[in-house]
Amino acid sequence: MTAYQLFSSKGVSKTSISDIVAQANVAKGTFYLYFKDKYDIRNRIILNQAEKIFDAVNEALAKQGALGFEEKLLFIIDTVIDSFLANSTFLRFAVKNLNWSAFKETLSSLYSRPEIDLSGRFQKMLSDYGITLERPDMLLFLLTELVGGVTYSAVIYGQPADFETVRPYLRRSISAILSAHIR
């Protein structure tokens, strides 16, 4: 929690391992017993919160009736966004510190929990609905970047408007992207 507080207030690049261990009141050697570097602890913080978000998504999905592919995907995206709205500090931290390659790498190390494997879940959803795509990873990339960037700008900066004003436009854009990729 100490690293998260420092990262959130100072930024990852301006937070040193010395800052973290001094604030946590532990020896630097103890830090290195558990973490490779500050980016390792950053990724673990994001993983921990991602697990909570995906658990909330799974719980919410379990309460839903049968949904079509687009409805299910929009429901999942809305649930993730709602968790970011409830914790804008984490939204700022995660989106600011996690680009697509780091995002994929971070998610791939999620303790082998298949319910959190975003790429695997997306592939399974496509398969469950009989949808075949040339590059499912490309669609997932586009959706992830769009949702992350739009949510970040609307929630953190209120640009181009507050998020609830932006949400229907985002949903329509997601639907249009899906229509362009799924024939």
Side-chain angles (χ1 to χ4, degrees):
M1 200 48 124
T2 299
Y4 178 63
Q5 291 168 341
L6 287 167
F7 290 158
S8 296
S9 63
K10 294 174 66 172
V12 174
S13 63
K14 293 181 182 172
T15 301
S16 68
I17 292 171
S18 296
D19 295 334
I20 296 168
V21 298
Q23 185 82 19
N25 200 27
V26 297
K28 204 177 252 192
T30 303
F31 176 90
Y32 285 110
L33 283 174
Y34 296 97
F35 307 104
K36 183 171 62 174
D37 54 26
K38 69 180 179 179
Y39 301 104
D40 184 32
I41 195 169
R42 174 204 64 193
N43 291 348
R44 290 187 197 203
I45 291 167
I46 292 170
L47 285 175
N48 181 276
Q49 190 64 31
E51 283 183 319
K52 292 175 186 174
I53 291 169
F54 281 101
D55 287 344
V57 167
N58 289 330
E59 186 177 314
L61 274 174
K63 295 175 182 174
Q64 287 298 307
L67 298 171
F69 178 77
E70 185 175 328
E71 291 171 312
K72 185 174 184 176
L73 188 59
L74 287 169
F75 180 82
I76 290 167
I77 289 169
D78 279 338
T79 305
V80 170
I81 289 171
D82 289 343
S83 71
F84 282 138
L85 293 174
N87 187 351
S88 62
T89 301
F90 180 69
L91 170 66
R92 180 186 308 263
F93 176 73
V95 173
K96 189 173 167 184
N97 290 291
L98 204 57
N99 60 34
W100 177 250
S101 62
F103 178 72
K104 277 186 66 175
E105 181 183 318
T106 298
L107 285 177
S108 71
S109 65
L110 277 171
Y111 317 118
S112 303
R113 286 186 59 188
E115 70 272 20
I116 300 174
D117 174 15
L118 186 60
S119 182
R121 282 187 62 132
F122 187 65
Q123 291 279 14
K124 182 171 179 353
M125 262 181 69
L126 291 169
S127 175
D128 289 349
Y129 287 92
I131 298 170
T132 304
L133 297 175
E134 179 183 344
R135 294 284 309 268
D137 61 323
M138 194 65 64
L139 179 57
L140 187 58
F141 164 76
L142 292 170
L143 293 174
T144 303
E145 290 292 316
L146 173 66
V147 170
V150 168
T151 303
Y152 185 85
S153 293
V155 171
I156 302 302
Y157 298 115
Q159 295 296 322
D162 66 272
F163 185 76
E164 290 311 321
T165 302
V166 171
R167 188 187 297 255
Y169 294 94
L170 177 60
R171 289 176 62 87
R172 283 197 301 263
S173 297
I174 292 167
S175 294
I177 290 170
L178 291 174
S179 293
H181 288 264
I182 299 171
R183 300 176 198 271

